[in-house]
Amino acid sequence: MRKILIIGNWKMHLNASQASLLVHRLHERIRIYRDIEVVLAPPMLTLQPLSVQLDRRKFRLAAQNAYQKDEGAFTGEVSFTMLRDLVHYVIIGHSERRRLFHEDLDTVRDKVAAAVRNNITPILCVGETKHERDEGEAKQVLHDQLMTALSNLTAAEVKDAAIAYEPAWAISNGSDYIGHEIAKPDDVESAVTYIRAYITDVFGNTAGKQVRVLYGGSVVPDVVGGFLDIPGVDGFLVGGASLNYHTFSDIIGASQRWQRDKGEV
Ligand code: PGA
């Protein structure tokens, strides 16, 4: 059985003391789970102090981004090499980075390769925009994103990775859930099935079975069960709701209840 994986992507929110307070509050509310892995992705600046503070039995750390070269004259960048002893995971290919920072398919591929080279597990984000969905191009977009991003990886490396299906049209604008569309489980099922089938076709059965596929886009506690019911969904990449210790711990609690009700633990 694959563990449920829940990642809180704090994006560009919280300074060092605010981040420390949020970890403290989460620590009070979140138990040690054997079958749920909770990962926090705070801003780069706070990774180091949080790595000292947090209880490693409860939380792991992810970076939200890094630069694909290991070192050199790249003003303002932080490499995967610098992060390798600090984080377990790194988020790569988030739609905000693709859209706002012009990360193209090749950049995402180089970042995935750099993460793996530095022993950091990539959380690869894929997903179509509203326009691409309306034009009927969603599957093609997923295909192109997966094909390029994973092209330098072996089957064993893909097996250990996580892939987050995040339709860009369903991602909230901060903690504001108004003004964008909400994806329903029906919208997500075919994309998740497609992602796993692609991995199985290209990298074989073991990778297809073991790669973790997450859903992301306006996840709140109420929708957790509906998405986990989709065959092949292993957890969530949570943005806005991860900044609030009540909602984030409720998402974890709802996932745990879902597991228990399904008799999965
Ligand atoms: P959201 O963000 O949960 O605020 O929609 C998800 C994401 O961007 O990963």
Side-chain angles (χ1 to χ4, degrees), residues 10 14-21 23-24 40 42-56 59 61 83 85-87:
W10 296 359
L14 310 185
N15 64 25
S17 57
Q18 292 165 328
S20 169
L21 185 61
V23 165
H24 179 72
L40 306 177
M44 194 72 92
L45 180 68
T46 58
L47 284 170
Q48 181 81 55
L50 292 187
S51 76
V52 180
Q53 178 188 349
L54 54 75
D55 182 339
R56 284 157 200 253
F59 306 107
L61 284 174
L83 292 170
D85 296 326
L86 206 52
V87 301

PDB file of all heavy atoms in Angstrom, residues 10 14-21 23-24 40 42-56 59 61 83 85-87:
ATOM      1  N   TRP A  10       3.506  26.557   1.243  1.00  0.00           N
ATOM      2  CA  TRP A  10       3.204  27.863   1.848  1.00  0.00           C
ATOM      3  C   TRP A  10       3.403  29.009   0.862  1.00  0.00           C
ATOM      4  O   TRP A  10       3.130  30.161   1.187  1.00  0.00           O
ATOM      5  CB  TRP A  10       4.075  28.081   3.091  1.00  0.00           C
ATOM      6  CG  TRP A  10       3.827  27.109   4.202  1.00  0.00           C
ATOM      7  CD1 TRP A  10       2.916  26.086   4.220  1.00  0.00           C
ATOM      8  CD2 TRP A  10       4.489  27.062   5.465  1.00  0.00           C
ATOM      9  NE1 TRP A  10       2.975  25.408   5.408  1.00  0.00           N
ATOM     10  CE2 TRP A  10       3.937  25.987   6.201  1.00  0.00           C
ATOM     11  CE3 TRP A  10       5.500  27.822   6.049  1.00  0.00           C
ATOM     12  CZ2 TRP A  10       4.364  25.666   7.486  1.00  0.00           C
ATOM     13  CZ3 TRP A  10       5.931  27.490   7.333  1.00  0.00           C
ATOM     14  CH2 TRP A  10       5.363  26.439   8.042  1.00  0.00           C
ATOM     15  N   LEU A  14       4.773  34.036   5.108  1.00  0.00           N
ATOM     16  CA  LEU A  14       5.313  33.813   6.453  1.00  0.00           C
ATOM     17  C   LEU A  14       6.825  34.080   6.549  1.00  0.00           C
ATOM     18  O   LEU A  14       7.630  33.463   5.854  1.00  0.00           O
ATOM     19  CB  LEU A  14       5.031  32.390   6.967  1.00  0.00           C
ATOM     20  CG  LEU A  14       3.589  31.885   6.875  1.00  0.00           C
ATOM     21  CD1 LEU A  14       3.486  30.520   7.549  1.00  0.00           C
ATOM     22  CD2 LEU A  14       2.601  32.860   7.474  1.00  0.00           C
ATOM     23  N   ASN A  15       7.170  34.989   7.463  1.00  0.00           N
ATOM     24  CA  ASN A  15       8.588  35.200   7.777  1.00  0.00           C
ATOM     25  C   ASN A  15       9.028  34.148   8.796  1.00  0.00           C
ATOM     26  O   ASN A  15       8.241  33.267   9.171  1.00  0.00           O
ATOM     27  CB  ASN A  15       8.822  36.639   8.263  1.00  0.00           C
ATOM     28  CG  ASN A  15       8.090  36.924   9.559  1.00  0.00           C
ATOM     29  OD1 ASN A  15       7.794  36.010  10.341  1.00  0.00           O
ATOM     30  ND2 ASN A  15       7.778  38.182   9.810  1.00  0.00           N
ATOM     31  N   ALA A  16      10.272  34.252   9.259  1.00  0.00           N
ATOM     32  CA  ALA A  16      10.818  33.163  10.090  1.00  0.00           C
ATOM     33  C   ALA A  16      10.012  32.966  11.370  1.00  0.00           C
ATOM     34  O   ALA A  16       9.725  31.828  11.757  1.00  0.00           O
ATOM     35  CB  ALA A  16      12.284  33.450  10.401  1.00  0.00           C
ATOM     36  N   SER A  17       9.609  34.053  12.045  1.00  0.00           N
ATOM     37  CA  SER A  17       8.898  33.839  13.305  1.00  0.00           C
ATOM     38  C   SER A  17       7.469  33.351  13.057  1.00  0.00           C
ATOM     39  O   SER A  17       6.957  32.509  13.813  1.00  0.00           O
ATOM     40  CB  SER A  17       8.940  35.093  14.195  1.00  0.00           C
ATOM     41  OG  SER A  17       8.416  36.179  13.508  1.00  0.00           O
ATOM     42  N   GLN A  18       6.825  33.833  12.012  1.00  0.00           N
ATOM     43  CA  GLN A  18       5.475  33.327  11.685  1.00  0.00           C
ATOM     44  C   GLN A  18       5.530  31.844  11.303  1.00  0.00           C
ATOM     45  O   GLN A  18       4.659  31.055  11.685  1.00  0.00           O
ATOM     46  CB  GLN A  18       4.888  34.136  10.516  1.00  0.00           C
ATOM     47  CG  GLN A  18       4.583  35.583  10.865  1.00  0.00           C
ATOM     48  CD  GLN A  18       4.365  36.439   9.617  1.00  0.00           C
ATOM     49  OE1 GLN A  18       4.965  36.194   8.562  1.00  0.00           O
ATOM     50  NE2 GLN A  18       3.526  37.445   9.734  1.00  0.00           N
ATOM     51  N   ALA A  19       6.560  31.477  10.561  1.00  0.00           N
ATOM     52  CA  ALA A  19       6.707  30.079  10.141  1.00  0.00           C
ATOM     53  C   ALA A  19       6.927  29.178  11.361  1.00  0.00           C
ATOM     54  O   ALA A  19       6.342  28.095  11.474  1.00  0.00           O
ATOM     55  CB  ALA A  19       7.877  29.951   9.164  1.00  0.00           C
ATOM     56  N   SER A  20       7.753  29.659  12.281  1.00  0.00           N
ATOM     57  CA  SER A  20       8.032  28.887  13.488  1.00  0.00           C
ATOM     58  C   SER A  20       6.758  28.701  14.316  1.00  0.00           C
ATOM     59  O   SER A  20       6.489  27.617  14.843  1.00  0.00           O
ATOM     60  CB  SER A  20       9.109  29.635  14.286  1.00  0.00           C
ATOM     61  OG  SER A  20       9.227  29.077  15.553  1.00  0.00           O
ATOM     62  N   LEU A  21       5.932  29.734  14.380  1.00  0.00           N
ATOM     63  CA  LEU A  21       4.678  29.645  15.136  1.00  0.00           C
ATOM     64  C   LEU A  21       3.723  28.641  14.477  1.00  0.00           C
ATOM     65  O   LEU A  21       3.084  27.829  15.154  1.00  0.00           O
ATOM     66  CB  LEU A  21       4.029  31.036  15.208  1.00  0.00           C
ATOM     67  CG  LEU A  21       2.780  31.138  16.065  1.00  0.00           C
ATOM     68  CD1 LEU A  21       3.093  30.784  17.517  1.00  0.00           C
ATOM     69  CD2 LEU A  21       2.196  32.561  15.986  1.00  0.00           C
ATOM     70  N   VAL A  23       4.524  26.037  12.669  1.00  0.00           N
ATOM     71  CA  VAL A  23       5.020  24.678  12.941  1.00  0.00           C
ATOM     72  C   VAL A  23       4.673  24.264  14.370  1.00  0.00           C
ATOM     73  O   VAL A  23       4.261  23.131  14.625  1.00  0.00           O
ATOM     74  CB  VAL A  23       6.544  24.581  12.676  1.00  0.00           C
ATOM     75  CG1 VAL A  23       7.131  23.314  13.288  1.00  0.00           C
ATOM     76  CG2 VAL A  23       6.810  24.610  11.180  1.00  0.00           C
ATOM     77  N   HIS A  24       4.820  25.206  15.284  1.00  0.00           N
ATOM     78  CA  HIS A  24       4.479  24.924  16.678  1.00  0.00           C
ATOM     79  C   HIS A  24       3.006  24.521  16.805  1.00  0.00           C
ATOM     80  O   HIS A  24       2.661  23.526  17.452  1.00  0.00           O
ATOM     81  CB  HIS A  24       4.782  26.183  17.500  1.00  0.00           C
ATOM     82  CG  HIS A  24       4.449  26.053  18.945  1.00  0.00           C
ATOM     83  ND1 HIS A  24       5.181  25.276  19.812  1.00  0.00           N
ATOM     84  CD2 HIS A  24       3.412  26.576  19.673  1.00  0.00           C
ATOM     85  CE1 HIS A  24       4.638  25.334  21.015  1.00  0.00           C
ATOM     86  NE2 HIS A  24       3.560  26.106  20.958  1.00  0.00           N
ATOM     87  N   LEU A  40       6.092  19.764   4.764  1.00  0.00           N
ATOM     88  CA  LEU A  40       5.902  21.214   4.747  1.00  0.00           C
ATOM     89  C   LEU A  40       6.872  21.830   3.742  1.00  0.00           C
ATOM     90  O   LEU A  40       8.062  21.505   3.746  1.00  0.00           O
ATOM     91  CB  LEU A  40       6.166  21.804   6.136  1.00  0.00           C
ATOM     92  CG  LEU A  40       5.370  21.170   7.289  1.00  0.00           C
ATOM     93  CD1 LEU A  40       5.779  21.787   8.625  1.00  0.00           C
ATOM     94  CD2 LEU A  40       3.866  21.331   7.059  1.00  0.00           C
ATOM     95  N   PRO A  42       7.948  25.379   3.172  1.00  0.00           N
ATOM     96  CA  PRO A  42       7.970  26.804   3.508  1.00  0.00           C
ATOM     97  C   PRO A  42       8.881  27.571   2.548  1.00  0.00           C
ATOM     98  O   PRO A  42       9.572  26.957   1.733  1.00  0.00           O
ATOM     99  CB  PRO A  42       8.554  26.798   4.925  1.00  0.00           C
ATOM    100  CG  PRO A  42       9.458  25.618   4.938  1.00  0.00           C
ATOM    101  CD  PRO A  42       8.872  24.598   3.996  1.00  0.00           C
ATOM    102  N   PRO A  43       8.916  28.893   2.649  1.00  0.00           N
ATOM    103  CA  PRO A  43       9.851  29.652   1.813  1.00  0.00           C
ATOM    104  C   PRO A  43      11.301  29.246   2.113  1.00  0.00           C
ATOM    105  O   PRO A  43      11.624  28.816   3.222  1.00  0.00           O
ATOM    106  CB  PRO A  43       9.606  31.106   2.245  1.00  0.00           C
ATOM    107  CG  PRO A  43       8.249  31.107   2.839  1.00  0.00           C
ATOM    108  CD  PRO A  43       8.068  29.760   3.462  1.00  0.00           C
ATOM    109  N   MET A  44      12.149  29.415   1.130  1.00  0.00           N
ATOM    110  CA  MET A  44      13.556  28.997   1.219  1.00  0.00           C
ATOM    111  C   MET A  44      14.242  29.468   2.501  1.00  0.00           C
ATOM    112  O   MET A  44      14.961  28.721   3.156  1.00  0.00           O
ATOM    113  CB  MET A  44      14.272  29.579  -0.012  1.00  0.00           C
ATOM    114  CG  MET A  44      15.602  29.018  -0.295  1.00  0.00           C
ATOM    115  SD  MET A  44      15.451  27.341  -0.934  1.00  0.00           S
ATOM    116  CE  MET A  44      15.389  27.626  -2.701  1.00  0.00           C
ATOM    117  N   LEU A  45      13.999  30.741   2.844  1.00  0.00           N
ATOM    118  CA  LEU A  45      14.667  31.370   3.980  1.00  0.00           C
ATOM    119  C   LEU A  45      14.422  30.640   5.296  1.00  0.00           C
ATOM    120  O   LEU A  45      15.264  30.682   6.193  1.00  0.00           O
ATOM    121  CB  LEU A  45      14.132  32.814   4.087  1.00  0.00           C
ATOM    122  CG  LEU A  45      14.651  33.718   5.182  1.00  0.00           C
ATOM    123  CD1 LEU A  45      16.119  34.039   4.921  1.00  0.00           C
ATOM    124  CD2 LEU A  45      13.837  35.007   5.207  1.00  0.00           C
ATOM    125  N   THR A  46      13.271  30.005   5.421  1.00  0.00           N
ATOM    126  CA  THR A  46      12.908  29.411   6.711  1.00  0.00           C
ATOM    127  C   THR A  46      13.195  27.906   6.781  1.00  0.00           C
ATOM    128  O   THR A  46      12.974  27.292   7.822  1.00  0.00           O
ATOM    129  CB  THR A  46      11.418  29.673   7.029  1.00  0.00           C
ATOM    130  OG1 THR A  46      10.629  29.128   5.976  1.00  0.00           O
ATOM    131  CG2 THR A  46      11.124  31.151   7.126  1.00  0.00           C
ATOM    132  N   LEU A  47      13.699  27.332   5.696  1.00  0.00           N
ATOM    133  CA  LEU A  47      13.971  25.889   5.728  1.00  0.00           C
ATOM    134  C   LEU A  47      14.975  25.528   6.827  1.00  0.00           C
ATOM    135  O   LEU A  47      14.774  24.568   7.568  1.00  0.00           O
ATOM    136  CB  LEU A  47      14.519  25.421   4.368  1.00  0.00           C
ATOM    137  CG  LEU A  47      13.513  25.284   3.234  1.00  0.00           C
ATOM    138  CD1 LEU A  47      14.237  25.059   1.908  1.00  0.00           C
ATOM    139  CD2 LEU A  47      12.542  24.148   3.513  1.00  0.00           C
ATOM    140  N   GLN A  48      16.036  26.294   6.913  1.00  0.00           N
ATOM    141  CA  GLN A  48      17.103  25.963   7.866  1.00  0.00           C
ATOM    142  C   GLN A  48      16.602  26.019   9.323  1.00  0.00           C
ATOM    143  O   GLN A  48      16.709  25.012  10.048  1.00  0.00           O
ATOM    144  CB  GLN A  48      18.290  26.915   7.648  1.00  0.00           C
ATOM    145  CG  GLN A  48      19.465  26.671   8.557  1.00  0.00           C
ATOM    146  CD  GLN A  48      20.332  25.527   8.050  1.00  0.00           C
ATOM    147  OE1 GLN A  48      20.785  25.548   6.915  1.00  0.00           O
ATOM    148  NE2 GLN A  48      20.545  24.533   8.875  1.00  0.00           N
ATOM    149  N   PRO A  49      16.023  27.162   9.779  1.00  0.00           N
ATOM    150  CA  PRO A  49      15.537  27.158  11.173  1.00  0.00           C
ATOM    151  C   PRO A  49      14.445  26.116  11.423  1.00  0.00           C
ATOM    152  O   PRO A  49      14.436  25.476  12.475  1.00  0.00           O
ATOM    153  CB  PRO A  49      15.005  28.584  11.381  1.00  0.00           C
ATOM    154  CG  PRO A  49      14.950  29.219  10.039  1.00  0.00           C
ATOM    155  CD  PRO A  49      15.907  28.491   9.165  1.00  0.00           C
ATOM    156  N   LEU A  50      13.563  25.884  10.458  1.00  0.00           N
ATOM    157  CA  LEU A  50      12.505  24.895  10.698  1.00  0.00           C
ATOM    158  C   LEU A  50      13.078  23.481  10.774  1.00  0.00           C
ATOM    159  O   LEU A  50      12.558  22.633  11.492  1.00  0.00           O
ATOM    160  CB  LEU A  50      11.431  24.968   9.606  1.00  0.00           C
ATOM    161  CG  LEU A  50      10.575  26.245   9.581  1.00  0.00           C
ATOM    162  CD1 LEU A  50       9.452  26.106   8.574  1.00  0.00           C
ATOM    163  CD2 LEU A  50      10.023  26.590  10.957  1.00  0.00           C
ATOM    164  N   SER A  51      14.164  23.242  10.054  1.00  0.00           N
ATOM    165  CA  SER A  51      14.744  21.891  10.087  1.00  0.00           C
ATOM    166  C   SER A  51      15.238  21.549  11.491  1.00  0.00           C
ATOM    167  O   SER A  51      15.271  20.393  11.887  1.00  0.00           O
ATOM    168  CB  SER A  51      15.887  21.771   9.075  1.00  0.00           C
ATOM    169  OG  SER A  51      17.038  22.408   9.559  1.00  0.00           O
ATOM    170  N   VAL A  52      15.636  22.566  12.242  1.00  0.00           N
ATOM    171  CA  VAL A  52      16.089  22.350  13.616  1.00  0.00           C
ATOM    172  C   VAL A  52      14.886  22.199  14.550  1.00  0.00           C
ATOM    173  O   VAL A  52      14.883  21.393  15.462  1.00  0.00           O
ATOM    174  CB  VAL A  52      16.974  23.547  14.072  1.00  0.00           C
ATOM    175  CG1 VAL A  52      17.452  23.342  15.501  1.00  0.00           C
ATOM    176  CG2 VAL A  52      18.144  23.736  13.124  1.00  0.00           C
ATOM    177  N   GLN A  53      13.830  22.958  14.245  1.00  0.00           N
ATOM    178  CA  GLN A  53      12.660  22.994  15.140  1.00  0.00           C
ATOM    179  C   GLN A  53      11.759  21.776  15.020  1.00  0.00           C
ATOM    180  O   GLN A  53      11.215  21.281  15.998  1.00  0.00           O
ATOM    181  CB  GLN A  53      11.847  24.266  14.837  1.00  0.00           C
ATOM    182  CG  GLN A  53      10.586  24.381  15.687  1.00  0.00           C
ATOM    183  CD  GLN A  53       9.698  25.542  15.251  1.00  0.00           C
ATOM    184  OE1 GLN A  53      10.080  26.387  14.453  1.00  0.00           O
ATOM    185  NE2 GLN A  53       8.486  25.578  15.780  1.00  0.00           N
ATOM    186  N   LEU A  54      11.574  21.289  13.808  1.00  0.00           N
ATOM    187  CA  LEU A  54      10.436  20.371  13.665  1.00  0.00           C
ATOM    188  C   LEU A  54      10.742  18.939  14.101  1.00  0.00           C
ATOM    189  O   LEU A  54      11.878  18.488  14.086  1.00  0.00           O
ATOM    190  CB  LEU A  54       9.817  20.435  12.271  1.00  0.00           C
ATOM    191  CG  LEU A  54      10.612  20.254  11.010  1.00  0.00           C
ATOM    192  CD1 LEU A  54      10.957  18.811  10.803  1.00  0.00           C
ATOM    193  CD2 LEU A  54       9.775  20.756   9.864  1.00  0.00           C
ATOM    194  N   ASP A  55       9.688  18.288  14.493  1.00  0.00           N
ATOM    195  CA  ASP A  55       9.756  16.899  14.947  1.00  0.00           C
ATOM    196  C   ASP A  55       9.780  16.011  13.703  1.00  0.00           C
ATOM    197  O   ASP A  55       8.784  15.916  12.985  1.00  0.00           O
ATOM    198  CB  ASP A  55       8.516  16.609  15.812  1.00  0.00           C
ATOM    199  CG  ASP A  55       8.535  15.196  16.377  1.00  0.00           C
ATOM    200  OD1 ASP A  55       9.236  14.327  15.816  1.00  0.00           O
ATOM    201  OD2 ASP A  55       7.831  14.979  17.385  1.00  0.00           O
ATOM    202  N   ARG A  56      10.915  15.378  13.474  1.00  0.00           N
ATOM    203  CA  ARG A  56      11.081  14.611  12.229  1.00  0.00           C
ATOM    204  C   ARG A  56      10.204  13.368  12.165  1.00  0.00           C
ATOM    205  O   ARG A  56      10.076  12.745  11.121  1.00  0.00           O
ATOM    206  CB  ARG A  56      12.544  14.224  12.045  1.00  0.00           C
ATOM    207  CG  ARG A  56      13.382  15.388  11.584  1.00  0.00           C
ATOM    208  CD  ARG A  56      14.847  15.200  11.923  1.00  0.00           C
ATOM    209  NE  ARG A  56      15.508  16.511  11.902  1.00  0.00           N
ATOM    210  CZ  ARG A  56      16.340  16.892  10.954  1.00  0.00           C
ATOM    211  NH1 ARG A  56      16.655  16.086   9.977  1.00  0.00           N
ATOM    212  NH2 ARG A  56      16.891  18.094  10.991  1.00  0.00           N
ATOM    213  N   PHE A  59       7.004  15.430  10.560  1.00  0.00           N
ATOM    214  CA  PHE A  59       7.070  16.286   9.371  1.00  0.00           C
ATOM    215  C   PHE A  59       8.367  16.080   8.603  1.00  0.00           C
ATOM    216  O   PHE A  59       9.420  15.863   9.211  1.00  0.00           O
ATOM    217  CB  PHE A  59       7.029  17.771   9.772  1.00  0.00           C
ATOM    218  CG  PHE A  59       5.861  18.153  10.627  1.00  0.00           C
ATOM    219  CD1 PHE A  59       6.032  18.421  11.979  1.00  0.00           C
ATOM    220  CD2 PHE A  59       4.594  18.263  10.082  1.00  0.00           C
ATOM    221  CE1 PHE A  59       4.961  18.787  12.772  1.00  0.00           C
ATOM    222  CE2 PHE A  59       3.511  18.631  10.861  1.00  0.00           C
ATOM    223  CZ  PHE A  59       3.690  18.892  12.215  1.00  0.00           C
ATOM    224  N   LEU A  61      10.526  18.092   5.206  1.00  0.00           N
ATOM    225  CA  LEU A  61      10.580  19.391   4.541  1.00  0.00           C
ATOM    226  C   LEU A  61      10.713  19.243   3.031  1.00  0.00           C
ATOM    227  O   LEU A  61      11.347  18.307   2.532  1.00  0.00           O
ATOM    228  CB  LEU A  61      11.780  20.195   5.048  1.00  0.00           C
ATOM    229  CG  LEU A  61      11.640  20.836   6.428  1.00  0.00           C
ATOM    230  CD1 LEU A  61      12.965  21.474   6.833  1.00  0.00           C
ATOM    231  CD2 LEU A  61      10.519  21.891   6.443  1.00  0.00           C
ATOM    232  N   LEU A  83      20.705  22.202  -0.931  1.00  0.00           N
ATOM    233  CA  LEU A  83      19.512  21.793  -0.174  1.00  0.00           C
ATOM    234  C   LEU A  83      19.539  20.314   0.214  1.00  0.00           C
ATOM    235  O   LEU A  83      18.680  19.849   0.957  1.00  0.00           O
ATOM    236  CB  LEU A  83      18.254  22.042  -1.025  1.00  0.00           C
ATOM    237  CG  LEU A  83      17.904  23.503  -1.290  1.00  0.00           C
ATOM    238  CD1 LEU A  83      16.794  23.584  -2.341  1.00  0.00           C
ATOM    239  CD2 LEU A  83      17.460  24.181  -0.005  1.00  0.00           C
ATOM    240  N   ASP A  85      20.981  18.219   2.171  1.00  0.00           N
ATOM    241  CA  ASP A  85      20.910  17.686   3.539  1.00  0.00           C
ATOM    242  C   ASP A  85      19.758  18.296   4.345  1.00  0.00           C
ATOM    243  O   ASP A  85      19.564  17.968   5.504  1.00  0.00           O
ATOM    244  CB  ASP A  85      22.234  17.934   4.272  1.00  0.00           C
ATOM    245  CG  ASP A  85      23.362  17.168   3.603  1.00  0.00           C
ATOM    246  OD1 ASP A  85      23.096  16.056   3.096  1.00  0.00           O
ATOM    247  OD2 ASP A  85      24.481  17.695   3.542  1.00  0.00           O
ATOM    248  N   LEU A  86      19.046  19.195   3.704  1.00  0.00           N
ATOM    249  CA  LEU A  86      18.015  19.946   4.418  1.00  0.00           C
ATOM    250  C   LEU A  86      16.607  19.446   4.111  1.00  0.00           C
ATOM    251  O   LEU A  86      15.727  19.471   4.968  1.00  0.00           O
ATOM    252  CB  LEU A  86      18.156  21.416   3.968  1.00  0.00           C
ATOM    253  CG  LEU A  86      17.697  22.532   4.867  1.00  0.00           C
ATOM    254  CD1 LEU A  86      18.296  22.400   6.255  1.00  0.00           C
ATOM    255  CD2 LEU A  86      18.108  23.870   4.240  1.00  0.00           C
ATOM    256  N   VAL A  87      16.363  19.034   2.887  1.00  0.00           N
ATOM    257  CA  VAL A  87      14.998  18.684   2.473  1.00  0.00           C
ATOM    258  C   VAL A  87      14.933  17.265   1.900  1.00  0.00           C
ATOM    259  O   VAL A  87      15.919  16.765   1.353  1.00  0.00           O
ATOM    260  CB  VAL A  87      14.450  19.681   1.408  1.00  0.00           C
ATOM    261  CG1 VAL A  87      14.432  21.097   1.949  1.00  0.00           C
ATOM    262  CG2 VAL A  87      15.228  19.616   0.113  1.00  0.00           C
TER     263      VAL A  87
END
